Amino acid sequence: MLKYRPDIDGLRAIAVVLVITYHAFPNLVPGGFIGVDIFFVISGYLITSILNFNISNNKHSIKDFYRRRIDRLFPALLLVMFSVFIFGWFTLFPDEFMQLGKQLAGSAVFLSNIVFYSETGYFNATSPTKPLLHLWSLGIEEQFYLIFPLVLYLAYKRKVNILFIVVLLAALSFLLNILSINENIERTFYLPQYRHWELLFGAILSLTVHGEKAKRPHTLVATPVAAVSLLVILITALTLHSTVAFPGWYALLPVFASVLLIWSAQDAGPIKSVITSKPFVFIGLISYPLYLWHWPLFSLAYIINGSTPPDWLMLLLTVLSFLLATLTYYLIERPLKKVRSWKKKTIPMLILMLIIGVTGYKAYTMNGIDNRSNIKISKEVSRLLIGPMWPYAKNEACLERFKTSLSSSLPWWFCSLKRNADPDVLILGNSYANHLYPGIANNTHLKDLNVLSIGIANVVDGISGSRTALQTEQAEFINNIILHTKSIKYILISGITIDADDSYINDLIERMSIITSNGAKVVIFYPHVQLSDDIKECFSRPLKRPNKDCTSDLSELKHIQEKFSHLKNKVTKAYPETLFFNPNSAFCDENKCSSVKEGLPMYRDEFKHLSEFGSMSVGNEFAKWAKENLPELTK
């Protein structure tokens, strides 16, 4: 039987405190995220110790191993997932509840790391608005547990050197991590093949020293090794920053330090006395439910508040995390630990996890269940605050008519066409062009022209400078549409950079040679004001009233007008027929600008993309302008 090591619980305490402090007060420990890497090493060490002991003593059972994993992980996890779902039901807008449903479904099958990796990109919600984001690490561990016991068992049965196999797998995983980190940080961070080396380092330690007392270090060696290892962890946590390419080479610091600390701590004299003291061991014992509880509390507070909560609230939530973790440990985990029946505990928990996963998936597929009674009160507002669920990104008519590999090779692709016929109007630019589509295509004051919105690039991307192959391909693809689609009579350009320098303007003028080649009339939209308010803060939700009226002075509008005048003058000089439209009359009057008009949101997300209402409002202002400047475009 494996001997209990309180020093490992002490190391767990260090790891979880680093993570929680980083999440609550990132300026205090900017590298506190390494606590997760410490957990990985501990998990690899303990699981390998258990497996190696059972295999060596002919007690190994794959079924029993997975049952023990379920019994250990599910009680607290089920409670947290259920609690977050219930809280979200009463407080979250449909787009938020839809994303929570997706997170629940992914977490229920321990694929949350893959789900979150699939969400990385421009249009996805920021990390603090994902209440179950922290479960990515649980996904990494469970994927390790799924494969590693089989590898260990097969190696033992075939009399292959187990240590050699584990070292080889660790080296391969670490090499993949190093090769991938500069190419795609998100992929390297979230996917198991790039992170399993951290657990495997713990496994190597277990296979090297576990059960052989002769290999334990002498106190004279253990104490300085443990002290230096602990110092490396603390210095790394205090100096490493989230902007570094992590894991990569940097992850070696906490991983090696954790390996050495596990190896030396139980013989490290004064270090052992500290990390096996009652406070450390207690926090280590509740570290799992503490890790599970803290992030949903922080994230939901961020969502409700509309921004990072004040320090006093984060401190209060941290205390609440400890309280909930303590209650979970004493009232849920410890009592259930005494129940050893597969039928009475394991199977019911599996069924409950399946129910939560299916329920989350249904919430996702039903677009956040916008018929919830608490949401009905503000249903029109909720319908507009849809974040990444923008329905005008693409449609079949466009994808069928303008086939390109870009629509599948890129993480997102704009391709919307009003009717499956040659377009009359082309909306050109990035997401700040595409958000004009409903306001132009569905405007009753404009002629019923066939509107096309296509492409995700800024209008100057792919022209010169450090252009990528995809930027060049996009520019060439859309240039080809302009050159060969003679039906296009109007080209509306939006998404122009506010602080455009001469290099940017020269690239725009160069692109204009293609844009104007068929005689289409070109209208360049001024950038729209992106007011500083979080749009969701402007509206009430359960537990929270609006923070403010979400208006501001005209300073941003004046800044746009001043900065854009230089671009306007240079483009007009090169192409005098170019027209310019300022959409900000939809936001601003003579005294102020506002994120809310007629009680409805002008934006749909934190990136200040127009809501459907905002797009229609801009479209109406454009129709008024066109009546004077492009009368043939209006009814």
Side-chain angles (χ1 to χ4, degrees):
M1 194 69 180
L2 294 175
K3 183 182 177 182
Y4 169 65
R5 287 186 53 180
D7 56 293
I8 290 182
D9 271 329
L11 185 54
R12 281 194 179 109
I14 293 170
V16 77
V17 167
L18 286 177
V19 171
I20 292 173
T21 309
Y22 167 69
H23 285 153
F25 310 105
N27 291 331
L28 289 181
V29 279
F33 53 84
I34 65 168
V36 173
D37 304 273
I38 298 172
F39 277 126
F40 284 163
V41 175
I42 293 172
S43 293
Y45 174 80
L46 292 177
I47 289 301
T48 306
S49 299
I50 293 168
L51 289 170
N52 194 38
F53 176 84
N54 289 338
I55 291 172
S56 301
N57 291 278
N58 294 317
K59 295 180 179 180
H60 183 60
S61 165
I62 294 292
K63 185 177 81 170
D64 192 53
F65 172 79
Y66 292 140
R67 181 187 65 78
R68 289 198 306 271
R69 287 295 86 207
I70 292 169
D71 290 350
R72 170 71 182 97
L73 296 174
F74 276 33
L77 182 60
L78 283 167
L79 177 63
V80 171
M81 291 171 71
F82 178 76
S83 300
V84 171
F85 178 83
I86 295 299
F87 187 86
W89 177 277
F90 290 106
T91 61
L92 299 184
F93 286 125
D95 68 307
E96 298 162 344
F97 197 63
M98 173 185 172
Q99 294 305 314
L100 176 60
K102 184 179 181 182
Q103 294 165 37
L104 283 165
S107 300
V109 290
F110 295 100
L111 294 176
S112 53
N113 56 320
I114 296 172
V115 169
F116 288 122
Y117 171 61
S118 72
E119 291 181 348
T120 56
Y122 179 66
F123 283 105
N124 290 295
T126 54
S127 297
T129 63
K130 299 178 179 181
L132 298 179
L133 178 63
H134 64 321
L135 297 186
W136 72 267
S137 62
L138 207 57
I140 294 283
E141 290 193 14
E142 286 305 299
Q143 289 148 27
F144 178 80
Y145 298 155
L146 190 65
I147 300 170
F148 188 64
L150 298 174
V151 172
L152 219 59
Y153 181 72
L154 289 174
Y156 181 82
K157 280 296 182 183
R158 295 180 180 273
K159 302 188 184 305
V160 178
N161 188 304
I162 295 175
L163 181 60
F164 172 77
I165 294 295
V166 174
V167 169
L168 184 65
L169 290 173
L172 178 60
S173 177
F174 180 74
L175 180 61
L176 289 173
N177 155 55
I178 296 303
L179 293 175
S180 175
I181 191 66
N182 291 323
E183 181 183 337
N184 191 320
I185 292 176
E186 290 82 8
R187 179 181 67 195
T188 315
F189 186 88
Y190 281 117
L191 297 189
Q193 62 267 38
Y194 307 106
R195 300 304 295 259
H196 277 173
W197 65 273
E198 300 180 48
L199 291 101
L200 290 166
F201 270 46
I204 292 169
L205 174 66
S206 173
L207 293 170
T208 304
V209 303
H210 184 74
E212 298 185 34
K213 193 171 183 178
K215 291 189 178 182
R216 285 170 56 173
H218 190 277
T219 301
L220 293 177
V221 174
T223 299
V225 168
V228 170
S229 300
L230 196 55
L231 191 62
V232 168
I233 288 172
L234 294 177
I235 291 174
T236 304
L238 292 171
T239 59
L240 205 60
H241 200 276
S242 59
T243 57
V244 303
F246 196 88
W249 291 100
Y250 289 103
L252 282 173
L253 292 169
V255 168
F256 263 132
S258 301
V259 167
L260 292 174
L261 196 53
I262 294 171
W263 175 66
S264 60
Q266 62 181 328
D267 299 294
I271 302 296
K272 177 185 177 182
S273 297
V274 173
I275 65 175
T276 59
S277 62
K278 287 184 178 180
F280 275 79
V281 171
F282 172 72
I283 294 174
L285 289 172
I286 66 167
S287 60
Y288 176 59
L290 182 55
Y291 181 79
L292 292 181
W293 277 115
H294 86 281
W295 180 253
L297 293 176
F298 294 172
S299 175
L300 290 167
Y302 183 100
I303 294 170
I304 300 299
N305 190 58
S307 58
T308 302
D311 287 348
W312 68 265
L313 180 55
M314 294 303 288
L315 182 60
L316 183 63
L317 292 172
T318 300
V319 173
L320 181 59
S321 300
F322 275 87
L323 176 61
L324 289 172
T326 303
L327 292 173
T328 302
Y329 177 72
Y330 282 107
L331 301 181
I332 303 295
E333 289 191 321
R334 285 187 63 171
L336 281 177
K337 193 174 182 180
K338 298 175 183 176
V339 181
R340 300 187 180 277
S341 169
W342 175 282
K343 293 180 181 179
K344 292 181 180 180
K345 182 170 70 171
T346 310
I347 291 178
M349 288 195 300
L350 276 171
I351 293 171
L352 285 173
M353 186 63 75
L354 177 63
I355 291 171
I356 287 180
V358 171
T359 303
Y361 181 74
K362 291 298 291 182
Y364 175 68
T365 57
M366 294 172 67
N367 293 329
I369 314 179
D370 60 3
N371 61 353
R372 286 171 285 149
S373 58
N374 54 304
I375 296 298
K376 280 183 177 180
I377 300 170
S378 56
K379 189 167 185 179
E380 182 59 16
V381 170
S382 301
R383 186 185 72 80
L384 295 169
L385 296 175
I386 56 174
M389 300 189 300
W390 184 239
Y392 300 101
K394 54 191 173 184
N395 57 32
E396 288 302 319
C398 185
L399 293 172
E400 178 63 29
R401 198 168 192 87
F402 298 99
K403 290 185 172 69
T404 172
S405 60
L406 292 166
S407 62
S408 56
S409 61
L410 289 166
W412 68 90
W413 177 248
F414 293 129
C415 187
S416 284
L417 182 64
K418 187 174 180 180
R419 293 185 296 274
N420 192 2
D422 289 336
D424 306 297
V425 179
L426 171 64
I427 299 176
L428 183 61
N430 52 23
S431 57
Y432 295 113
N434 171 264
H435 69 183
L436 299 173
Y437 177 81
I440 303 298
N442 302 328
N443 195 288
T444 56
H445 303 294
L446 298 173
K447 283 188 176 175
D448 189 23
L449 301 175
N450 198 20
V451 180
L452 168 67
S453 170
I454 194 165
I456 63 169
N458 190 300
V459 69
V460 303
D461 287 351
I463 303 303
S464 65
S466 57
R467 57 188 179 184
T468 65
L470 280 175
Q471 287 175 335
T472 302
E473 186 179 353
Q474 283 186 78
E476 290 175 352
F477 174 71
I478 294 170
N479 285 348
N480 188 60
I481 292 174
I482 294 170
L483 289 170
H484 294 94
T485 309
K486 307 296 183 183
S487 61
I488 296 175
K489 302 181 184 69
Y490 308 95
I491 297 178
L492 312 182
I493 299 174
S494 189
I496 296 286
T497 301
I498 294 177
D499 298 316
D501 57 17
D502 284 339
S503 174
Y504 182 100
I505 296 170
N506 291 336
D507 285 349
L508 175 59
I509 290 171
E510 183 180 336
R511 186 78 187 275
M512 290 284 286
S513 64
I514 297 293
I515 293 170
T516 59
S517 58
N518 277 336
K521 293 186 177 180
V522 179
V523 181
I524 296 179
F525 279 55
Y526 277 63
H528 69 293
V529 290
Q530 299 187 25
L531 305 178
S532 59
D533 307 304
D534 182 322
I535 190 61
K536 288 179 179 176
E537 273 194 287
C538 304
F539 300 93
S540 62
R541 67 158 89 220
L543 304 184
K544 186 171 180 290
R545 293 181 177 276
N547 272 4
K548 44 194 169 182
D549 62 1
C550 290
T551 61
S552 63
D553 59 27
L554 302 176
S555 56
E556 187 179 348
L557 176 63
K558 290 176 181 176
H559 174 75
I560 291 172
Q561 291 169 335
E562 289 169 4
K563 288 289 185 179
F564 214 66
S565 61
H566 180 55
L567 179 146
K568 181 179 179 181
N569 291 337
K570 290 196 71 172
V571 172
T572 301
K573 186 175 180 180
Y575 294 95
E577 299 300 316
T578 305
L579 298 171
F580 290 83
F581 169 67
N582 190 339
N584 291 305
S585 54
F587 295 85
C588 308
D589 56 25
E590 294 179 354
N591 303 308
K592 64 182 186 303
C593 298
S594 179
S595 303
V596 178
K597 293 285 185 177
E598 300 175 27
L600 296 174
M602 292 293 287
Y603 306 119
R604 71 176 188 263
D605 59 22
E606 62 197 290
F607 305 108
K608 311 304 180 184
H609 293 106
L610 297 180
S611 65
E612 186 176 354
F613 171 76
S615 183
M616 295 303 298
S617 299
V618 169
N620 287 335
E621 292 299 316
F622 178 71
K624 293 177 188 176
W625 173 88
K627 193 170 184 179
E628 298 294 328
N629 297 276
L630 280 175
E632 69 273 21
L633 194 57
T634 59
K635 289 185 177 179

